[in-house]
Amino acid sequence: IFTDVDGDLVSVSTSKGSLTAANFVLIPTGLGAQLATMALESNSAFQGTDIEITVERAAGGNGQVNVGYIDATGIDLGHVHVEGDLAQIDAGDSITPQRGLLGLHAQSLGKLGLATQLPEGTLQSDIQGALKKLRIENDVTNAALFVTGDVRSIVIGGDLFGGSIRSGGQLGAIHISGDVTASDSSPAIISAAGTLAPANNGQALAIAGIHIGGSVRGAEILAGYDISALPVNPDVRIGKVRVRGDWIGSSMVTGADAGEDGLFGTADDSLIAESNSIVARIASILIRGVAAATDSEFDHYGIVGEQITSLTVNALKVPLKPGASDEPQPLPIDGADDFSVLEVFAR
């Protein structure tokens, strides 16, 4: 228990293991402190533990704690709950790939940047194994979450701003209440590698579905890409995609990758690999606002897949040409001259 910078009383508890002063790095600031590091690295006593970091609000306090880093590298965790902002968390081991972190629930992720960490801190969280549930009440800001296994569900109550959520397995249902937007330093990325050599269409679903309550700007939604954003899996699918706002300067790709010129849907691109039964497909895309590129003549954006079942933009159902289509089809929408849809055919 300690008093934070604005006077709130912070409590840290675990369901397994005994915490001591050696598990914490507190940075004194003013009359209180901030939790720069909670260190549980490779400590088997905390294997599978739940972590609760809660706040008792005091006069003048904001009722939230700022946590720089939870270091549980090498051990699996249960549920982690932070009543405030979390900059970074590392957890999981390489021995139990189906475990890693049962759940992460925080008010925000990366909102305060590196200000709550020691000088060598980062905003990249690494989970070795799976993550059952991610719930962020407000924004994810310039924070990257890399998960080597599956992520069953993702709920973000605010914006995904310059952040990345990447899985080496499958992503379940994704619900983002606000915008998905690039920041000055990085695009916003949602990616999943999916299941390599899937046996059926269910296994081929890399991203189950995406619902975005705001607009999408400067974003990349990628299926078949590993956590390093390299294309590794041609036989993957994306479920239903729903965007309530606009789609500006963003790309969605399933089972394909950019060519030597860095553009999607051009003649030198690597296309979908041969498959007898599995096709890289986007189930449906509904964009309630407008779809457009940026003002730059050098940018190109698009939606790429072997099959795109349906695409509706601003109440207009876009005609698609299924089959062996190698050329990008510009959207018949004003302002979308540099935005195209490409259905590539396996060859």
Side-chain angles (χ1 to χ4, degrees):
I1 298 176
F2 68 94
T3 302
D4 74 359
V5 292
D6 55 12
D8 291 330
L9 189 64
V10 179
S11 298
V12 183
S13 63
T14 58
S15 61
K16 297 180 180 180
S18 298
L19 295 169
T20 68
N23 296 121
F24 300 97
V25 176
L26 299 176
I27 301 177
T29 303
L31 298 177
Q34 66 186 34
L35 178 52
T37 302
M38 180 178 179
L40 307 177
E41 181 180 3
S42 300
N43 190 330
S44 60
F46 294 98
Q47 179 76 16
T49 187
D50 296 333
I51 299 175
E52 290 274 347
I53 303 178
T54 58
V55 178
E56 182 179 337
R57 189 167 186 171
N62 61 4
Q64 295 190 17
V65 62
N66 303 321
V67 178
Y69 182 26
I70 297 176
D71 183 6
T73 305
I75 61 172
D76 297 323
L77 293 179
H79 296 278
V80 176
H81 182 203
V82 178
E83 286 190 349
D85 182 67
L86 173 64
Q88 178 185 351
I89 180 170
D90 291 344
D93 58 51
S94 58
I95 302 172
T96 54
Q98 300 306 315
R99 300 182 63 184
L101 177 58
L102 284 182
L104 174 60
H105 182 189
Q107 293 300 306
S108 59
L109 191 63
K111 181 179 180 181
L112 300 178
L114 302 178
T116 55
Q117 294 197 38
L118 298 177
E120 65 273 16
T122 76
L123 293 178
Q124 178 175 316
S125 298
D126 294 289
I127 307 300
Q128 290 289 324
L131 170 58
K132 187 173 182 180
K133 185 173 184 179
L134 172 68
R135 184 177 185 90
I136 305 299
E137 296 293 339
N138 297 303
D139 300 333
V140 175
T141 306
N142 288 323
L145 177 64
F146 292 179
V147 183
T148 61
D150 298 340
V151 183
R152 291 194 185 179
S153 71
I154 298 171
V155 177
I156 299 174
D159 300 332
L160 177 63
F161 180 69
S164 296
I165 298 174
R166 305 184 188 185
S167 167
Q170 298 175 312
L171 290 176
I174 301 171
H175 190 285
I176 301 173
S177 297
D179 298 329
V180 177
T181 311
S183 68
D184 292 339
S185 58
S186 63
I189 299 175
I190 298 172
S191 73
T195 301
L196 294 175
N200 52 56
N201 288 327
Q203 289 185 4
L205 195 63
I207 302 177
I210 304 175
H211 182 277
I212 298 172
S215 294
V216 179
R217 298 182 178 88
E220 299 174 5
I221 297 175
L222 308 172
Y225 289 68
D226 65 14
I227 58 176
S228 299
L230 297 175
V232 295
N233 190 356
D235 299 319
V236 290
R237 295 186 169 199
I238 298 175
K240 294 181 179 179
V241 179
R242 299 290 183 267
V243 179
R244 292 186 62 86
D246 299 329
W247 181 280
I248 310 295
S250 301
S251 292
M252 184 186 306
V253 179
T254 180
D257 62 278
E260 294 177 2
D261 56 7
L263 304 182
F264 293 110
T266 53
D268 64 352
D269 284 355
S270 300
L271 302 183
I272 308 297
E274 288 283 2
S275 175
N276 293 326
S277 60
I278 307 296
V279 295
R281 185 178 78 180
I282 302 174
S284 64
I285 305 168
L286 173 62
I287 301 170
R288 295 191 180 276
V290 301
T294 64
D295 295 333
S296 173
E297 62 178 312
F298 301 105
D299 290 337
H300 178 91
Y301 303 93
I303 298 172
V304 183
E306 193 173 354
Q307 286 183 2
I308 301 169
T309 306
S310 69
L311 172 62
T312 302
V313 179
N314 199 16
L316 172 66
K317 190 173 180 63
V318 178
L320 302 174
K321 297 181 179 180
S325 173
D326 294 331
E327 295 298 323
Q329 305 297 320
L331 295 185
I333 301 170
D334 291 340
D337 295 340
D338 214 12
F339 187 95
S340 61
V341 176
L342 174 65
E343 288 186 293
V344 294
F345 186 70
R347 44 167 74 177

